[in-house]
Amino acid sequence: MTPIAEQLLGRIHQGRARAGVVGLGYVGLPLAVEFARHGLTCTGIDLDDRKIAAIARGESYIPDVPSEDLRALLAARRLSATTDFSVVAELDTINICVPTPLRKTKDPDMSYIVSAVEAIAAHLHPGMLVVLESTTYPGTTEEVVQPLLERGGLKAGVDFFLAFSPERVDPGNGTFHTRNVPKVVGGTTPQCAEIACALYGTSIETVVPVSSPRVAEMVKLLENTFRAVNIGLVNEIALMCDTLGIDVWEVVDAAKTKPFGFMPFYPGPGLGGHCIPIDPFYLSWKARQYGFEPRFIELAGHVNGAMPQATVDKIADALNVQKKALNGARILVAGIAYKRDINDVRESPALDVMGLLHQQGARVCYADPYVPTLPARSWLGGHELESLPLDASTLAGIDCVAILTDHRSFDYDTLVAAAPLIVDTRNAIKQTHPHVFKLGAPQPAHAATWLPAPASDEAA
Ligand SMILES: NC(=O)c1ccc[n+]([C@@H]2O[C@H](COP(=O)([O-])OP(=O)(O)OC[C@H]3O[C@@H](n4cnc5c(N)ncnc54)[C@H](O)[C@@H]3O)[C@@H](O)[C@H]2O)c1
C-alpha cells in the first residue's frame, strides 16, 4: 500500500475522513445521512438549490429519511449541504449518485455523470477517493469517469482512488435500507477496492468486494434485468390467464408455496420508477456495441411496455359489461406513484394509462395521498390535476375506479361499497365482487347482472 493510500485509509478508520455525496436524491440523501450517522463528516452537493435549502432547514424530502435525523446531524455538524463544488477540494471521498436516464432513443443519457465528474475533476486532489454509484452500463467507470478525472494529470490508482459501487436502495422498504443492504464494490485497482470497502465499512453492515468496477456495474444490471424479465414473464402469464379464464393471482400465490426454485413476481399495469424500466436498456445498448443482441431484455421491454394498453383494454371491457363506453366515462385512477406507499411518479405506468384513457375520450381524475398534484406536463391530458379524496362523495360521480397502485392507506372497503365498477391491477381487493374486475383474471361472477346501489338522493 502506498503512503498516500495508507493516509486515506487511516483517516477513514479513525473516523476523520470528510466524505462527500454528489446528487442528494432518493439514493444520495440516505447515503449521506448514513455516512454522517456513523462517524464521518459528510457534505452533500446538489445543483438543486431547493433541496439544499430544505436540508439546511432540516426538512427531508425523501420519505425514508426522517427530518428529525437530518436536524440531529445538522446540529452535530456531521452533515451539511451545498450547491458549490469547490468544497470537493476539502473532501477525502466523494460518492456520485446522479440520475442516469435514457434518451428518447433509449440510449444511455450520460450527461449527468459527465457534468458531475467534470465538476469534481476541477477540484480533485491527490489522495482522494471517487466512487460512482449511479446505475450505468459496464465500462462507465473506466471508460468515461476515469479519463475525465485524469485530464488534470492525476492518475487513478496512483494519485487518487476510483471505484464503482451500485446502489440498491428500495424506497419505502421498511426492512431493508441503506445500512443493511450489502454493498458490492469494485475498484479500478486492488488498493482502490480496499479503500472504497473501508469507506462503506464505516456505515454499511456488509461489503462485498468484486474484482473490478465492470463486474460491479454488471451486478446491478443483472439484478435489475432479472426483475424486468421476471415481471415481463408474469405479465405475459397474466394476459394468458385472462384469455384462459384463470386467476393469475391465485396461481402465483399457490406457486410460491414451493419452498425452492420459485420466486414470486406479480403482474401490474407496467413498469415504473427510475430503475427497472431504464437500467436493462443501458445493458442492451452496451451489448449491441459489441454486436451482441440481448433478446430477453428486448422481449421483456415489449411485454411490460404493452401493459398500460392492456390495462386500458381491461377497463374498456369492464365498462362494456356495464353497457358503458370508455368515451365519456369518468375514471378515477387510485394510486399514481409507481409503487405502493411512495411519492415517486417517475416512469409510472399510471401516467401512461391516464394518457391512453384521455386519448380514448375518458374523463380522468386520480386519488393518491402521496402525490397531491400532477403537473400538466407529466401526462398526456395536458392539464394539471389534483388528487381527490377517495371517499363516497368523490366516488358518487365516477363510472370506474382503476387501482393502479395499491397504497396501504386506501380504504378498500369504502371503495368496494361506493364505486360502481373497479378494475384492480394489483390484487388489492382480495374477495370477489361482481363489480371488481382484476387484471389477469376472468370476469367476476354475476358481473353482467350486477347493479350499483342507487345513490341516497335517488333512493329517497
Ligand atoms: N431511486 C432508486 O430507487 C434507485 C435505486 C438504485 C439505484 N438508483 C440509481 O441511483 C442514481 C440516482 O437515482 P436517484 O433516484 O437518487 O435520482 P434523483 O433524481 O432522486 O436524485 C439525483 C439528484 O442528483 C442531482 N443532480 C443531477 N445532476 C447533478 C450534478 N451534475 N451535480 C450535482 N447534483 C446533480 C439532482 O438535482 C437530484 O437531486 C441513478 O443512477 C439511479 O438509477 C436509484
Side-chain angles (χ1 to χ4, degrees), residues 22-28 45-48 51 61-62 85 97-100 111-113 115-117 133-136 166-171 220 224 274-275 279 338 344 346:
V22 175
L24 299 172
Y26 288 92
V27 166
I45 307 172
D46 201 293
L47 299 180
D48 184 345
K51 286 191 174 134
Y61 44 83
I62 300 289
F85 270 87
C97 309
V98 295
T100 41
S111 60
Y112 297 88
I113 291 186
S115 116
V117 173
E133 293 218 6
S134 302
T135 307
T136 182
E167 182 49 58
R168 290 163 149 177
V169 71
D170 180 21
K220 175 71 185 176
N224 282 2
H274 182 39
C275 297
D279 303 346
Y338 82 87
D344 192 349
R346 288 178 297 177

mmCIF file of all heavy atoms in Angstrom, residues 22-28 45-48 51 61-62 85 97-100 111-113 115-117 133-136 166-171 220 224 274-275 279 338 344 346, ligand 1:
data_model
loop_
_atom_site.group_PDB
_atom_site.id
_atom_site.type_symbol
_atom_site.label_atom_id
_atom_site.label_comp_id
_atom_site.label_asym_id
_atom_site.label_seq_id
_atom_site.Cartn_x
_atom_site.Cartn_y
_atom_site.Cartn_z
ATOM 1 N N VAL A 22 -22.461 13.506 -4.101
ATOM 2 C CA VAL A 22 -22.982 14.382 -5.155
ATOM 3 C C VAL A 22 -24.301 13.810 -5.658
ATOM 4 O O VAL A 22 -24.357 12.653 -6.090
ATOM 5 C CB VAL A 22 -21.981 14.477 -6.333
ATOM 6 C CG1 VAL A 22 -22.579 15.297 -7.471
ATOM 7 C CG2 VAL A 22 -20.694 15.106 -5.869
ATOM 8 N N GLY A 23 -25.352 14.603 -5.614
ATOM 9 C CA GLY A 23 -26.686 14.151 -6.027
ATOM 10 C C GLY A 23 -27.437 13.678 -4.794
ATOM 11 O O GLY A 23 -27.211 12.567 -4.317
ATOM 12 N N LEU A 24 -28.304 14.553 -4.276
ATOM 13 C CA LEU A 24 -28.966 14.248 -2.990
ATOM 14 C C LEU A 24 -30.424 13.853 -3.218
ATOM 15 O O LEU A 24 -31.336 14.475 -2.674
ATOM 16 C CB LEU A 24 -28.853 15.458 -2.058
ATOM 17 C CG LEU A 24 -27.407 15.843 -1.721
ATOM 18 C CD1 LEU A 24 -27.365 17.164 -0.966
ATOM 19 C CD2 LEU A 24 -26.729 14.740 -0.900
ATOM 20 N N GLY A 25 -30.636 12.834 -4.040
ATOM 21 C CA GLY A 25 -31.991 12.361 -4.305
ATOM 22 C C GLY A 25 -32.312 11.126 -3.484
ATOM 23 O O GLY A 25 -31.838 10.973 -2.353
ATOM 24 N N TYR A 26 -33.096 10.223 -4.066
ATOM 25 C CA TYR A 26 -33.532 9.009 -3.364
ATOM 26 C C TYR A 26 -32.355 8.152 -2.906
ATOM 27 O O TYR A 26 -32.451 7.444 -1.909
ATOM 28 C CB TYR A 26 -34.433 8.176 -4.281
ATOM 29 C CG TYR A 26 -35.785 8.800 -4.489
ATOM 30 C CD1 TYR A 26 -36.026 9.646 -5.560
ATOM 31 C CD2 TYR A 26 -36.824 8.564 -3.596
ATOM 32 C CE1 TYR A 26 -37.258 10.242 -5.743
ATOM 33 C CE2 TYR A 26 -38.060 9.156 -3.769
ATOM 34 C CZ TYR A 26 -38.278 9.987 -4.850
ATOM 35 O OH TYR A 26 -39.507 10.575 -5.015
ATOM 36 N N VAL A 27 -31.256 8.215 -3.658
ATOM 37 C CA VAL A 27 -30.077 7.414 -3.320
ATOM 38 C C VAL A 27 -29.093 8.216 -2.469
ATOM 39 O O VAL A 27 -28.622 7.759 -1.425
ATOM 40 C CB VAL A 27 -29.388 6.928 -4.632
ATOM 41 C CG1 VAL A 27 -28.004 6.389 -4.350
ATOM 42 C CG2 VAL A 27 -30.254 5.878 -5.311
ATOM 43 N N GLY A 28 -28.784 9.421 -2.920
ATOM 44 C CA GLY A 28 -27.710 10.192 -2.302
ATOM 45 C C GLY A 28 -28.015 10.677 -0.896
ATOM 46 O O GLY A 28 -27.133 10.622 -0.022
ATOM 47 N N ILE A 45 -23.667 17.546 -2.057
ATOM 48 C CA ILE A 45 -23.635 18.572 -3.116
ATOM 49 C C ILE A 45 -24.764 18.259 -4.101
ATOM 50 O O ILE A 45 -24.904 17.117 -4.546
ATOM 51 C CB ILE A 45 -22.293 18.559 -3.887
ATOM 52 C CG1 ILE A 45 -21.113 18.667 -2.911
ATOM 53 C CG2 ILE A 45 -22.255 19.681 -4.927
ATOM 54 C CD1 ILE A 45 -19.753 18.458 -3.579
ATOM 55 N N ASP A 46 -25.556 19.259 -4.429
ATOM 56 C CA ASP A 46 -26.612 19.073 -5.427
ATOM 57 C C ASP A 46 -26.802 20.390 -6.166
ATOM 58 O O ASP A 46 -26.601 21.460 -5.595
ATOM 59 C CB ASP A 46 -27.923 18.651 -4.754
ATOM 60 C CG ASP A 46 -28.870 17.963 -5.722
ATOM 61 O OD1 ASP A 46 -29.374 18.640 -6.654
ATOM 62 O OD2 ASP A 46 -29.099 16.737 -5.571
ATOM 63 N N LEU A 47 -27.183 20.298 -7.447
ATOM 64 C CA LEU A 47 -27.415 21.515 -8.226
ATOM 65 C C LEU A 47 -28.753 22.160 -7.880
ATOM 66 O O LEU A 47 -28.974 23.328 -8.176
ATOM 67 C CB LEU A 47 -27.407 21.178 -9.733
ATOM 68 C CG LEU A 47 -26.121 20.596 -10.304
ATOM 69 C CD1 LEU A 47 -26.277 20.333 -11.794
ATOM 70 C CD2 LEU A 47 -24.951 21.537 -10.052
ATOM 71 N N ASP A 48 -29.629 21.391 -7.266
ATOM 72 C CA ASP A 48 -30.986 21.868 -6.981
ATOM 73 C C ASP A 48 -30.975 22.643 -5.659
ATOM 74 O O ASP A 48 -30.929 22.054 -4.575
ATOM 75 C CB ASP A 48 -31.911 20.644 -6.905
ATOM 76 C CG ASP A 48 -33.358 21.034 -6.703
ATOM 77 O OD1 ASP A 48 -33.621 22.199 -6.344
ATOM 78 O OD2 ASP A 48 -34.232 20.164 -6.895
ATOM 79 N N LYS A 51 -33.385 21.721 -2.810
ATOM 80 C CA LYS A 51 -33.017 20.579 -1.951
ATOM 81 C C LYS A 51 -32.020 21.031 -0.885
ATOM 82 O O LYS A 51 -32.126 20.647 0.278
ATOM 83 C CB LYS A 51 -32.421 19.443 -2.789
ATOM 84 C CG LYS A 51 -33.485 18.715 -3.595
ATOM 85 C CD LYS A 51 -32.972 17.447 -4.222
ATOM 86 C CE LYS A 51 -34.129 16.712 -4.874
ATOM 87 N NZ LYS A 51 -33.871 16.228 -6.201
ATOM 88 N N TYR A 61 -37.024 15.676 2.154
ATOM 89 C CA TYR A 61 -37.967 15.499 1.038
ATOM 90 C C TYR A 61 -37.949 14.048 0.565
ATOM 91 O O TYR A 61 -38.532 13.709 -0.453
ATOM 92 C CB TYR A 61 -37.600 16.453 -0.120
ATOM 93 C CG TYR A 61 -36.117 16.481 -0.390
ATOM 94 C CD1 TYR A 61 -35.517 15.514 -1.191
ATOM 95 C CD2 TYR A 61 -35.298 17.426 0.229
ATOM 96 C CE1 TYR A 61 -34.159 15.507 -1.396
ATOM 97 C CE2 TYR A 61 -33.931 17.434 0.030
ATOM 98 C CZ TYR A 61 -33.360 16.472 -0.788
ATOM 99 O OH TYR A 61 -32.002 16.457 -0.987
ATOM 100 N N ILE A 62 -37.227 13.190 1.295
ATOM 101 C CA ILE A 62 -37.178 11.759 0.951
ATOM 102 C C ILE A 62 -37.886 11.008 2.087
ATOM 103 O O ILE A 62 -37.426 11.057 3.235
ATOM 104 C CB ILE A 62 -35.713 11.265 0.822
ATOM 105 C CG1 ILE A 62 -34.962 12.048 -0.277
ATOM 106 C CG2 ILE A 62 -35.630 9.760 0.580
ATOM 107 C CD1 ILE A 62 -35.376 11.759 -1.699
ATOM 108 N N PHE A 85 -19.380 23.187 -5.773
ATOM 109 C CA PHE A 85 -18.440 22.061 -5.912
ATOM 110 C C PHE A 85 -17.037 22.369 -5.367
ATOM 111 O O PHE A 85 -16.221 21.457 -5.254
ATOM 112 C CB PHE A 85 -18.332 21.642 -7.383
ATOM 113 C CG PHE A 85 -19.342 20.592 -7.782
ATOM 114 C CD1 PHE A 85 -20.606 20.955 -8.211
ATOM 115 C CD2 PHE A 85 -19.024 19.248 -7.724
ATOM 116 C CE1 PHE A 85 -21.538 19.994 -8.588
ATOM 117 C CE2 PHE A 85 -19.955 18.274 -8.093
ATOM 118 C CZ PHE A 85 -21.206 18.651 -8.526
ATOM 119 N N CYS A 97 -24.051 10.130 -7.061
ATOM 120 C CA CYS A 97 -25.385 9.497 -7.097
ATOM 121 C C CYS A 97 -26.334 10.325 -7.953
ATOM 122 O O CYS A 97 -27.426 10.694 -7.513
ATOM 123 C CB CYS A 97 -25.962 9.390 -5.687
ATOM 124 S SG CYS A 97 -24.858 8.634 -4.496
ATOM 125 N N VAL A 98 -25.907 10.655 -9.173
ATOM 126 C CA VAL A 98 -26.741 11.500 -10.041
ATOM 127 C C VAL A 98 -27.598 10.614 -10.962
ATOM 128 O O VAL A 98 -27.327 9.419 -11.115
ATOM 129 C CB VAL A 98 -25.857 12.475 -10.861
ATOM 130 C CG1 VAL A 98 -25.151 13.449 -9.943
ATOM 131 C CG2 VAL A 98 -24.858 11.717 -11.729
ATOM 132 N N PRO A 99 -28.621 11.169 -11.589
ATOM 133 C CA PRO A 99 -29.517 10.349 -12.418
ATOM 134 C C PRO A 99 -28.834 9.773 -13.653
ATOM 135 O O PRO A 99 -27.897 10.363 -14.191
ATOM 136 C CB PRO A 99 -30.614 11.335 -12.860
ATOM 137 C CG PRO A 99 -30.479 12.525 -11.978
ATOM 138 C CD PRO A 99 -29.050 12.573 -11.526
ATOM 139 N N THR A 100 -29.337 8.625 -14.093
ATOM 140 C CA THR A 100 -28.889 8.021 -15.354
ATOM 141 C C THR A 100 -30.134 7.624 -16.152
ATOM 142 O O THR A 100 -30.499 6.454 -16.207
ATOM 143 C CB THR A 100 -27.998 6.785 -15.100
ATOM 144 O OG1 THR A 100 -28.566 6.019 -14.022
ATOM 145 C CG2 THR A 100 -26.588 7.163 -14.738
ATOM 146 N N SER A 111 -25.150 12.485 -19.528
ATOM 147 C CA SER A 111 -24.820 13.895 -19.311
ATOM 148 C C SER A 111 -24.703 14.251 -17.827
ATOM 149 O O SER A 111 -23.875 15.081 -17.460
ATOM 150 C CB SER A 111 -25.852 14.794 -19.996
ATOM 151 O OG SER A 111 -27.133 14.546 -19.458
ATOM 152 N N TYR A 112 -25.526 13.613 -16.964
ATOM 153 C CA TYR A 112 -25.470 13.959 -15.531
ATOM 154 C C TYR A 112 -24.156 13.466 -14.923
ATOM 155 O O TYR A 112 -23.521 14.161 -14.135
ATOM 156 C CB TYR A 112 -26.651 13.346 -14.771
ATOM 157 C CG TYR A 112 -27.990 13.871 -15.225
ATOM 158 C CD1 TYR A 112 -28.660 13.271 -16.284
ATOM 159 C CD2 TYR A 112 -28.569 14.967 -14.610
ATOM 160 C CE1 TYR A 112 -29.888 13.751 -16.714
ATOM 161 C CE2 TYR A 112 -29.796 15.466 -15.027
ATOM 162 C CZ TYR A 112 -30.449 14.843 -16.084
ATOM 163 O OH TYR A 112 -31.657 15.329 -16.503
ATOM 164 N N ILE A 113 -23.768 12.250 -15.309
ATOM 165 C CA ILE A 113 -22.499 11.711 -14.795
ATOM 166 C C ILE A 113 -21.346 12.587 -15.280
ATOM 167 O O ILE A 113 -20.483 13.000 -14.502
ATOM 168 C CB ILE A 113 -22.297 10.242 -15.240
ATOM 169 C CG1 ILE A 113 -23.302 9.320 -14.531
ATOM 170 C CG2 ILE A 113 -20.860 9.783 -14.964
ATOM 171 C CD1 ILE A 113 -23.098 7.844 -14.791
ATOM 172 N N SER A 115 -21.318 15.692 -16.287
ATOM 173 C CA SER A 115 -21.237 17.035 -15.703
ATOM 174 C C SER A 115 -20.797 16.961 -14.241
ATOM 175 O O SER A 115 -19.993 17.789 -13.794
ATOM 176 C CB SER A 115 -22.558 17.776 -15.917
ATOM 177 O OG SER A 115 -23.182 18.069 -14.726
ATOM 178 N N ALA A 116 -21.261 15.963 -13.485
ATOM 179 C CA ALA A 116 -20.841 15.847 -12.077
ATOM 180 C C ALA A 116 -19.342 15.541 -12.003
ATOM 181 O O ALA A 116 -18.616 16.114 -11.180
ATOM 182 C CB ALA A 116 -21.655 14.763 -11.373
ATOM 183 N N VAL A 117 -18.877 14.633 -12.870
ATOM 184 C CA VAL A 117 -17.458 14.245 -12.812
ATOM 185 C C VAL A 117 -16.572 15.417 -13.230
ATOM 186 O O VAL A 117 -15.525 15.665 -12.622
ATOM 187 C CB VAL A 117 -17.191 12.988 -13.681
ATOM 188 C CG1 VAL A 117 -15.700 12.689 -13.765
ATOM 189 C CG2 VAL A 117 -17.939 11.790 -13.121
ATOM 190 N N GLU A 133 -21.842 5.690 -8.040
ATOM 191 C CA GLU A 133 -22.925 4.805 -7.576
ATOM 192 C C GLU A 133 -24.076 4.745 -8.567
ATOM 193 O O GLU A 133 -24.920 3.849 -8.474
ATOM 194 C CB GLU A 133 -23.462 5.300 -6.227
ATOM 195 C CG GLU A 133 -22.474 5.189 -5.106
ATOM 196 C CD GLU A 133 -23.118 4.781 -3.796
ATOM 197 O OE1 GLU A 133 -24.314 4.467 -3.770
ATOM 198 O OE2 GLU A 133 -22.396 4.777 -2.780
ATOM 199 N N SER A 134 -24.154 5.725 -9.472
ATOM 200 C CA SER A 134 -25.276 5.748 -10.417
ATOM 201 C C SER A 134 -25.291 4.461 -11.227
ATOM 202 O O SER A 134 -24.237 3.987 -11.669
ATOM 203 C CB SER A 134 -25.128 6.917 -11.384
ATOM 204 O OG SER A 134 -25.068 8.133 -10.687
ATOM 205 N N THR A 135 -26.469 3.934 -11.461
ATOM 206 C CA THR A 135 -26.590 2.719 -12.261
ATOM 207 C C THR A 135 -26.209 3.027 -13.704
ATOM 208 O O THR A 135 -26.706 3.988 -14.287
ATOM 209 C CB THR A 135 -28.054 2.232 -12.232
ATOM 210 O OG1 THR A 135 -28.448 2.131 -10.876
ATOM 211 C CG2 THR A 135 -28.203 0.899 -12.933
ATOM 212 N N THR A 136 -25.345 2.205 -14.271
ATOM 213 C CA THR A 136 -24.877 2.507 -15.627
ATOM 214 C C THR A 136 -24.314 1.259 -16.307
ATOM 215 O O THR A 136 -24.209 0.209 -15.668
ATOM 216 C CB THR A 136 -23.838 3.642 -15.564
ATOM 217 O OG1 THR A 136 -23.419 3.952 -16.885
ATOM 218 C CG2 THR A 136 -22.623 3.269 -14.713
ATOM 219 N N PRO A 166 -22.677 -0.144 -6.854
ATOM 220 C CA PRO A 166 -24.077 0.121 -7.214
ATOM 221 C C PRO A 166 -24.942 0.340 -5.988
ATOM 222 O O PRO A 166 -24.737 -0.305 -4.960
ATOM 223 C CB PRO A 166 -24.499 -1.163 -7.941
ATOM 224 C CG PRO A 166 -23.587 -2.225 -7.427
ATOM 225 C CD PRO A 166 -22.297 -1.545 -7.086
ATOM 226 N N GLU A 167 -25.885 1.247 -6.129
ATOM 227 C CA GLU A 167 -26.848 1.496 -5.057
ATOM 228 C C GLU A 167 -28.003 0.509 -5.220
ATOM 229 O O GLU A 167 -28.415 0.212 -6.326
ATOM 230 C CB GLU A 167 -27.344 2.941 -5.159
ATOM 231 C CG GLU A 167 -28.300 3.327 -4.085
ATOM 232 C CD GLU A 167 -27.813 2.953 -2.699
ATOM 233 O OE1 GLU A 167 -26.734 3.394 -2.279
ATOM 234 O OE2 GLU A 167 -28.523 2.173 -2.038
ATOM 235 N N ARG A 168 -28.479 -0.015 -4.089
ATOM 236 C CA ARG A 168 -29.574 -0.989 -4.157
ATOM 237 C C ARG A 168 -30.779 -0.538 -3.346
ATOM 238 O O ARG A 168 -31.562 -1.373 -2.918
ATOM 239 C CB ARG A 168 -29.097 -2.333 -3.608
ATOM 240 C CG ARG A 168 -28.092 -3.026 -4.485
ATOM 241 C CD ARG A 168 -27.401 -4.087 -3.678
ATOM 242 N NE ARG A 168 -26.988 -5.219 -4.476
ATOM 243 C CZ ARG A 168 -26.313 -6.249 -3.978
ATOM 244 N NH1 ARG A 168 -25.974 -6.275 -2.705
ATOM 245 N NH2 ARG A 168 -25.976 -7.266 -4.754
ATOM 246 N N VAL A 169 -30.865 0.765 -3.091
ATOM 247 C CA VAL A 169 -31.940 1.248 -2.226
ATOM 248 C C VAL A 169 -33.318 0.867 -2.795
ATOM 249 O O VAL A 169 -33.505 0.820 -4.014
ATOM 250 C CB VAL A 169 -31.816 2.786 -2.045
ATOM 251 C CG1 VAL A 169 -32.174 3.534 -3.315
ATOM 252 C CG2 VAL A 169 -32.654 3.281 -0.912
ATOM 253 N N ASP A 170 -34.225 0.565 -1.898
ATOM 254 C CA ASP A 170 -35.587 0.220 -2.295
ATOM 255 C C ASP A 170 -36.525 1.172 -1.547
ATOM 256 O O ASP A 170 -36.933 0.881 -0.420
ATOM 257 C CB ASP A 170 -35.870 -1.247 -1.911
ATOM 258 C CG ASP A 170 -37.275 -1.664 -2.313
ATOM 259 O OD1 ASP A 170 -37.867 -1.010 -3.198
ATOM 260 O OD2 ASP A 170 -37.778 -2.653 -1.737
ATOM 261 N N PRO A 171 -36.835 2.330 -2.146
ATOM 262 C CA PRO A 171 -37.618 3.327 -1.424
ATOM 263 C C PRO A 171 -38.902 2.731 -0.843
ATOM 264 O O PRO A 171 -39.582 1.943 -1.499
ATOM 265 C CB PRO A 171 -37.941 4.373 -2.498
ATOM 266 C CG PRO A 171 -36.832 4.238 -3.491
ATOM 267 C CD PRO A 171 -36.490 2.778 -3.505
ATOM 268 N N LYS A 220 -25.286 -4.856 -10.856
ATOM 269 C CA LYS A 220 -26.509 -4.056 -10.727
ATOM 270 C C LYS A 220 -27.444 -4.302 -11.918
ATOM 271 O O LYS A 220 -28.667 -4.423 -11.763
ATOM 272 C CB LYS A 220 -26.124 -2.581 -10.648
ATOM 273 C CG LYS A 220 -27.290 -1.633 -10.623
ATOM 274 C CD LYS A 220 -28.043 -1.699 -9.322
ATOM 275 C CE LYS A 220 -29.283 -0.827 -9.343
ATOM 276 N NZ LYS A 220 -30.063 -0.946 -8.130
ATOM 277 N N ASN A 224 -31.320 -5.817 -11.927
ATOM 278 C CA ASN A 224 -32.494 -5.109 -12.427
ATOM 279 C C ASN A 224 -33.064 -5.760 -13.683
ATOM 280 O O ASN A 224 -34.272 -5.727 -13.911
ATOM 281 C CB ASN A 224 -32.163 -3.634 -12.657
ATOM 282 C CG ASN A 224 -32.152 -2.886 -11.325
ATOM 283 O OD1 ASN A 224 -32.358 -3.485 -10.288
ATOM 284 N ND2 ASN A 224 -31.906 -1.600 -11.365
ATOM 285 N N HIS A 274 -37.267 4.878 -11.509
ATOM 286 C CA HIS A 274 -36.074 5.313 -12.226
ATOM 287 C C HIS A 274 -35.145 4.136 -12.570
ATOM 288 O O HIS A 274 -34.101 4.343 -13.174
ATOM 289 C CB HIS A 274 -35.343 6.354 -11.366
ATOM 290 C CG HIS A 274 -34.119 6.923 -12.021
ATOM 291 N ND1 HIS A 274 -34.070 7.225 -13.360
ATOM 292 C CD2 HIS A 274 -32.902 7.228 -11.541
ATOM 293 C CE1 HIS A 274 -32.877 7.698 -13.660
ATOM 294 N NE2 HIS A 274 -32.143 7.707 -12.568
ATOM 295 N N CYS A 275 -35.518 2.897 -12.174
ATOM 296 C CA CYS A 275 -34.557 1.799 -12.356
ATOM 297 C C CYS A 275 -35.013 0.735 -13.349
ATOM 298 O O CYS A 275 -34.434 0.590 -14.419
ATOM 299 C CB CYS A 275 -34.275 1.145 -11.002
ATOM 300 S SG CYS A 275 -33.509 2.284 -9.847
ATOM 301 N N ASP A 279 -32.787 0.680 -16.600
ATOM 302 C CA ASP A 279 -31.445 0.099 -16.496
ATOM 303 C C ASP A 279 -31.154 -1.013 -17.505
ATOM 304 O O ASP A 279 -30.051 -1.056 -18.071
ATOM 305 C CB ASP A 279 -31.190 -0.414 -15.072
ATOM 306 C CG ASP A 279 -31.363 0.692 -14.040
ATOM 307 O OD1 ASP A 279 -31.407 1.872 -14.443
ATOM 308 O OD2 ASP A 279 -31.466 0.380 -12.847
ATOM 309 N N TYR A 338 -45.321 5.075 -8.736
ATOM 310 C CA TYR A 338 -45.013 3.843 -9.478
ATOM 311 C C TYR A 338 -45.099 2.592 -8.617
ATOM 312 O O TYR A 338 -45.200 1.486 -9.137
ATOM 313 C CB TYR A 338 -43.668 3.934 -10.216
ATOM 314 C CG TYR A 338 -42.441 3.660 -9.381
ATOM 315 C CD1 TYR A 338 -41.972 2.364 -9.205
ATOM 316 C CD2 TYR A 338 -41.744 4.695 -8.784
ATOM 317 C CE1 TYR A 338 -40.842 2.113 -8.440
ATOM 318 C CE2 TYR A 338 -40.622 4.457 -8.033
ATOM 319 C CZ TYR A 338 -40.178 3.168 -7.856
ATOM 320 O OH TYR A 338 -39.066 2.920 -7.099
ATOM 321 N N ASP A 344 -43.051 8.731 -5.633
ATOM 322 C CA ASP A 344 -42.273 8.870 -6.859
ATOM 323 C C ASP A 344 -43.140 8.493 -8.075
ATOM 324 O O ASP A 344 -43.639 7.363 -8.157
ATOM 325 C CB ASP A 344 -41.052 7.921 -6.752
ATOM 326 C CG ASP A 344 -40.004 8.178 -7.818
ATOM 327 O OD1 ASP A 344 -40.293 8.929 -8.768
ATOM 328 O OD2 ASP A 344 -38.903 7.609 -7.698
ATOM 329 N N ARG A 346 -41.898 8.921 -11.261
ATOM 330 C CA ARG A 346 -41.040 8.803 -12.441
ATOM 331 C C ARG A 346 -41.329 7.501 -13.184
ATOM 332 O O ARG A 346 -41.354 6.437 -12.591
ATOM 333 C CB ARG A 346 -39.561 8.854 -12.037
ATOM 334 C CG ARG A 346 -39.137 10.247 -11.616
ATOM 335 C CD ARG A 346 -37.698 10.273 -11.188
ATOM 336 N NE ARG A 346 -37.456 9.444 -10.021
ATOM 337 C CZ ARG A 346 -36.248 9.257 -9.490
ATOM 338 N NH1 ARG A 346 -35.196 9.793 -10.036
ATOM 339 N NH2 ARG A 346 -36.110 8.510 -8.429
HETATM 340 N N1 LIG B 1 -34.325 5.651 -6.854
HETATM 341 C C1 LIG B 1 -33.980 4.398 -6.684
HETATM 342 O O1 LIG B 1 -34.746 3.593 -6.161
HETATM 343 C C2 LIG B 1 -32.617 3.874 -7.122
HETATM 344 C C3 LIG B 1 -32.196 2.622 -6.668
HETATM 345 C C4 LIG B 1 -30.958 2.152 -7.028
HETATM 346 C C5 LIG B 1 -30.161 2.912 -7.886
HETATM 347 N N2 LIG B 1 -30.595 4.117 -8.343
HETATM 348 C C6 LIG B 1 -29.704 4.857 -9.230
HETATM 349 O O2 LIG B 1 -29.101 5.921 -8.488
HETATM 350 C C7 LIG B 1 -28.921 7.068 -9.316
HETATM 351 C C8 LIG B 1 -29.615 8.258 -8.698
HETATM 352 O O3 LIG B 1 -31.005 7.992 -8.645
HETATM 353 P P1 LIG B 1 -31.995 8.787 -7.697
HETATM 354 O O4 LIG B 1 -33.273 8.046 -7.703
HETATM 355 O O5 LIG B 1 -31.355 9.113 -6.402
HETATM 356 O O6 LIG B 1 -32.148 10.139 -8.543
HETATM 357 P P2 LIG B 1 -32.777 11.514 -8.043
HETATM 358 O O7 LIG B 1 -33.264 12.216 -9.248
HETATM 359 O O8 LIG B 1 -33.716 11.278 -6.910
HETATM 360 O O9 LIG B 1 -31.530 12.300 -7.454
HETATM 361 C C9 LIG B 1 -30.472 12.717 -8.231
HETATM 362 C C10 LIG B 1 -30.006 14.071 -7.720
HETATM 363 O O10 LIG B 1 -28.857 14.449 -8.465
HETATM 364 C C11 LIG B 1 -28.909 15.844 -8.657
HETATM 365 N N3 LIG B 1 -28.011 16.174 -9.758
HETATM 366 C C12 LIG B 1 -28.181 15.974 -11.079
HETATM 367 N N4 LIG B 1 -27.103 16.346 -11.764
HETATM 368 C C13 LIG B 1 -26.214 16.789 -10.854
HETATM 369 C C14 LIG B 1 -24.902 17.319 -10.941
HETATM 370 N N5 LIG B 1 -24.269 17.419 -12.115
HETATM 371 N N6 LIG B 1 -24.286 17.688 -9.804
HETATM 372 C C15 LIG B 1 -24.906 17.590 -8.610
HETATM 373 N N7 LIG B 1 -26.144 17.091 -8.463
HETATM 374 C C16 LIG B 1 -26.792 16.696 -9.583
HETATM 375 C C17 LIG B 1 -30.354 16.136 -8.892
HETATM 376 O O11 LIG B 1 -30.669 17.505 -8.630
HETATM 377 C C18 LIG B 1 -31.016 15.187 -7.904
HETATM 378 O O12 LIG B 1 -31.245 15.803 -6.645
HETATM 379 C C19 LIG B 1 -29.449 6.680 -10.688
HETATM 380 O O13 LIG B 1 -28.403 6.199 -11.474
HETATM 381 C C20 LIG B 1 -30.397 5.536 -10.378
HETATM 382 O O14 LIG B 1 -30.541 4.659 -11.471
HETATM 383 C C21 LIG B 1 -31.801 4.628 -7.969
#
